[in-house]
Amino acid sequence: MGALLDALGQAWPRLLIYPGGLSALGLAWLLARWMAFIRTPHPDAERLPPHQELIAALPPLLALTLLPIPPARTFPYGIDLLTALALLGWPQLYSQAVRGALVGTGLRTLLQGYSLLLLGATAMSAGAGGIELRRLLRAPDTALGWGLMLGGSGLWLLGQARLYRKGRAAHLGDLGCLWIGAMPMLAALTVGAADRLPSGWAGWALPPLALIIAALMLGAARRITAPCE
Amino acid sequence: MQRLVAFILALGLAAALFAAWLLRDAPLTPALAHGLLRADALSAFFALVTTALALAEIGQGREKSPLRLLGVVGLLVAAYLSGHMAVTAALFALAGFLRIIGRHPSEALPMILPIICLSLGLASMGLRADEWRYAEPGAGAGLNSGAFVLLLLAVLLAGGFLALTDGQSAGPARQIDPIFGPALLYPLLRLDSLGPWNLGWLAATLLIGGAVALWSAWWAATCASGDAAAWLQRYLIGMALAGIGLGSGAGLALAAFALLTMPLISLGMGVAVHHARPWPLWAISAATPLSAPFVAAWVGVAAATAGHVPVLAMILWAAALLTAVPVARLATGRNKQPWWPQDWRLLVAAGLSLALGGGAPLALTLLVAPMASQLAGGLSPMGEIALWPWAGLIALDAARQPVASLPTFAMAGIMIVLAALAWVGARLLARRKRRDEG
């Protein structure tokens, strides 16, 4: 009990600054601007009332807080892919349900996107040897493991591109999914570049680099999978 | 009469919980009963589930003859407590006949078929081993593929799985019996007391369970709201079958959590379908973290990952996502309707779902771990769902390495802080808006 309270007490930088809190809000805004710059049509989500938007934003914020991304301080009670996807996908499902879009075309689009996400998640977890998120940051022992992790990351981002929607809470979910898609790249970058960087720089320089690569891939995937305006 | 029966069933539920606690260390086998009576953690667990399912039926007001339902539950509980396979079969048969009294023969006959399969399966094992008491050392010699197929067929027939072919629930062998469907999993799980299963049986159960779960979830996502409850129950039976097919402690945990979720789904969906905006139903959705269906889905994916069956993990994951669709559709309902008042039965189902999800470590300790230790002879070490002290649940593979984690307590703690911050933020924004307007 003491260990749990201690960990919760020391989690405030995660909650307020990084990877949750202010950095999450800022990065989600940047991601939304980037996706707007891609100039692909975004199905307009019905604006939720502010209090509902706030409720919808809490689960993705929780997931972002618990992401095991450097240089954030280690948190001993990490979540796994299934829990992360449930938390990050909440705003999407909630807004779709409120709009009455869980039938017909809306349901088909949702299932297509999620099937790619699930394929990606399964490939990543098969490569990493488990569904714990922290495993995605470790280098696999075999080339097959690398292939599964990086291929899975690509499928994950492709699925995310199909599911992309407007909405403040949804943008937080998208940012969390982007971080997860970036994790295998971060593992690859760490293996390839950590020794070439000055001591202590890898934890600060590589996560933003992996996130930028993932965002570029997401933009490209969105551009390919959605028709131009 | 309904209230009296509900009260008796509630007492039964409390007694089953107490029995589960009492039997957590060792089974109870009174010497005077000569092996006819044998109560263990599995018996107590099924007594709990059957009683809860009967309570859910009463709660929905669907049961026309509550006394008869009470009789059925009593006979089934007696069957779970029997250590003699012939007595178990006879008690199941009696309960089955009591269930179909007054029904049209065309409707009753498909319900007799699972009982016939069950009786033949158990008789085949007893005759082959020449030992009818399953706890005796020689009983394991009776395990045979014919009996296994018959017991599996009994589960499928009672679940009305013929409906999977075209999604139509009307007609013979297409309707799930809410009491018997899950109850017939007991004889199948009891096989673990006789010895380990061969790989063929495990593979068959795993494949059928996974297919049933995914197929039922698909129909649940695409059918009319009124039919979703039955499909969700079939989905949970499929999950339980997949768990049994994994043949490990983690698989047993999957079967247990799927069965524990069933009464909540049954009550919640059954009540919600008559309401305009039953938002508490969100707490019974597999998409809501820390709800009972979510934890059941997590245990499924974690058990499959721990058993190194990634395809099953993906199937169970996809099935869980599909089952979130009908619940979300129903929960949102006609969104313009007032959000209060709500039906108290729905609130009870939602509250219990969150309690079971959040308190999953407790359920694991009280109900699942004793079952796993008492059935250890029939289980493989390919995965275990273990307690993560003061954090939640963790899935371990055969090498005892963690492969999945669900820190329920830590998540709940941070969520409370986040919600408090959001509330303060919302109040500040509202005050600023009022000041600007003023």
Side-chain angles (χ1 to χ4, degrees):
Chain A
M1 183 67 176
L4 174 67
L5 289 176
D6 187 40
L8 288 177
Q10 293 186 18
W12 67 266
R14 285 185 154 271
L15 193 70
L16 298 177
I17 301 169
Y18 176 85
L22 295 174
S23 70
L25 294 172
L27 286 171
W29 179 80
L30 275 176
L31 178 64
R33 299 307 306 155
W34 162 242
M35 294 308 274
F37 178 74
I38 298 294
R39 290 165 66 85
T40 54
H42 308 292
D44 278 321
E46 187 178 279
R47 269 292 166 92
L48 294 172
H51 67 281
Q52 286 194 20
E53 187 88 48
L54 200 61
I55 291 169
L58 291 181
L61 268 176
L62 173 64
L64 282 161
T65 301
L66 294 174
L67 287 181
I69 313 165
R73 186 177 182 158
T74 316
F75 186 68
Y77 305 106
I79 52 174
D80 56 30
L81 265 170
L82 178 72
T83 313
L85 186 58
L87 291 166
L88 296 169
W90 172 263
Q92 171 95 344
L93 181 73
Y94 185 70
S95 71
Q96 293 266 87
V98 168
R99 289 168 59 223
L102 287 176
V103 285
T105 316
L107 180 61
R108 203 176 311 134
T109 311
L110 193 74
L111 294 182
Q112 283 170 351
Y114 266 105
S115 55
L116 284 169
L117 275 182
L118 286 190
L119 269 175
T122 308
M124 283 194 287
S125 56
I131 60 172
E132 281 190 311
L133 280 180
R134 67 184 73 174
R135 279 180 180 258
L136 298 181
L137 293 171
R138 291 184 206 149
D141 298 331
T142 60
L144 178 66
W146 273 116
L148 283 169
M149 256 173 61
L150 292 171
S153 160
L155 283 171
W156 175 275
L157 291 173
L158 207 59
Q160 195 193 341
R162 289 198 79 100
L163 286 171
Y164 184 76
R165 276 189 183 277
K166 275 184 180 174
R168 285 178 200 147
H171 288 152
L172 284 169
D174 284 326
L175 175 69
C177 286
L178 193 67
W179 267 124
I180 291 173
M183 281 183 183
M185 296 172 212
L186 182 55
L189 284 173
T190 307
V191 168
D195 295 343
R196 296 180 188 132
L197 290 171
S199 170
W201 279 38
W204 291 92
L206 296 183
L209 188 60
L211 192 67
I212 289 168
I213 295 172
L216 289 171
M217 285 176 69
L218 178 67
R222 178 74 195 162
R223 189 82 185 177
I224 292 164
T225 55
C228 296
E229 270 177 340
Chain B
M1 181 55 72
Q2 284 221 342
R3 284 190 177 183
L4 178 67
V5 171
F7 178 69
I8 295 171
L9 285 172
L11 284 181
L13 197 70
L17 267 175
F18 180 66
W21 179 77
L22 210 63
L23 297 166
R24 69 192 186 284
D25 290 329
L28 182 72
T29 45
L32 283 175
H34 301 293
L36 283 177
L37 181 68
R38 186 176 188 277
D40 64 359
L42 185 67
S43 320
F45 176 78
F46 267 87
L48 179 81
V49 170
T50 303
T51 317
L53 282 165
L55 258 176
E57 283 296 293
I58 297 272
Q60 291 172 68
R62 284 201 314 201
E63 188 57 45
K64 289 171 193 157
S65 173
L67 267 182
R68 200 187 297 160
L69 180 69
L70 192 63
V72 170
V73 171
L75 286 167
L76 285 176
V77 171
Y80 303 147
L81 295 175
S82 162
H84 197 284
M85 288 189 283
V87 176
T88 304
L91 288 167
F92 260 96
L94 270 176
F97 284 120
L98 200 57
R99 193 89 176 125
I100 60 171
I101 286 174
R103 295 194 187 188
H104 193 269
S106 65
E107 202 185 326
L109 190 65
M111 281 198 63
I112 298 174
L113 283 176
I115 303 294
I116 293 173
C117 288
L118 169 73
S119 305
L120 287 176
L122 291 179
S124 149
M125 286 194 295
L127 288 172
R128 193 180 165 117
D130 201 18
E131 176 57 77
W132 291 83
R133 285 162 299 186
Y134 69 78
E136 294 300 315
L143 279 174
N144 65 85
S145 296
F148 162 74
V149 169
L150 283 166
L151 294 184
L152 188 59
L153 198 60
V155 176
L156 296 176
L157 286 170
F161 287 107
L162 202 60
L164 284 173
T165 51
D166 56 4
Q168 300 296 320
S169 292
R174 284 167 181 272
Q175 286 170 343
I176 180 171
D177 187 291
I179 306 292
F180 259 87
L184 280 166
L185 286 166
Y186 169 77
L188 202 59
L189 266 170
R190 183 50 80 195
L191 292 187
D192 283 329
S193 294
L194 278 74
W197 292 21
N198 72 43
L199 281 177
W201 302 357
L202 290 174
T205 317
L206 193 75
L207 282 172
I208 290 174
V212 162
L214 186 59
W215 214 345
S216 302
W218 172 260
W219 285 120
T222 52
C223 73
S225 296
D227 297 333
W231 287 115
L232 291 179
Q233 285 179 342
R234 289 190 184 104
Y235 152 75
L236 289 170
I237 291 182
M239 287 238 295
L241 275 176
I244 296 170
L246 280 169
S248 61
L252 187 66
L254 167 59
F257 275 100
L259 286 169
L260 285 172
T261 305
M262 206 176 281
L264 306 175
I265 290 269
S266 174
L267 180 62
M269 294 294 282
V271 173
V273 83
H274 304 297
H275 289 77
R277 193 185 173 189
W279 59 266
L281 207 57
W282 279 109
I284 313 174
S285 162
T288 307
L290 302 192
S291 69
F294 172 80
V295 171
W298 179 87
V299 172
V301 174
T305 308
H308 299 293
V309 197
V311 177
L312 181 68
M314 192 175 77
I315 285 174
L316 293 180
W317 202 337
L321 283 168
L322 282 169
T323 60
V325 171
V327 182
R329 222 163 27 207
L330 199 58
T332 318
R334 292 183 286 279
N335 214 23
K336 301 289 182 268
Q337 295 289 321
W339 67 280
W340 197 262
Q342 290 289 335
D343 194 308
W344 66 271
R345 295 168 297 177
L346 194 56
L347 291 172
V348 166
L352 285 175
S353 171
L354 292 176
L356 180 59
L362 197 66
L364 185 86
T365 312
L366 177 67
L367 299 171
V368 182
M371 269 198 296
S373 71
Q374 288 172 24
L375 297 177
L379 299 175
S380 77
M382 291 298 287
E384 181 192 348
I385 305 293
L387 196 67
W388 193 1
W390 290 109
L393 299 177
I394 195 160
L396 305 169
D397 62 9
R400 308 284 302 166
Q401 290 300 309
V403 291
S405 50
L406 182 65
T408 50
F409 296 148
M411 282 168 65
I414 293 182
M415 193 51 147
I416 288 169
V417 178
L418 262 176
L421 285 173
W423 186 80
V424 171
R427 299 300 299 170
L428 287 173
L429 283 175
R431 180 182 283 188
R432 188 175 158 187
K433 194 178 169 190
R434 273 202 305 272
R435 195 186 300 154
D436 290 349
E437 283 170 359

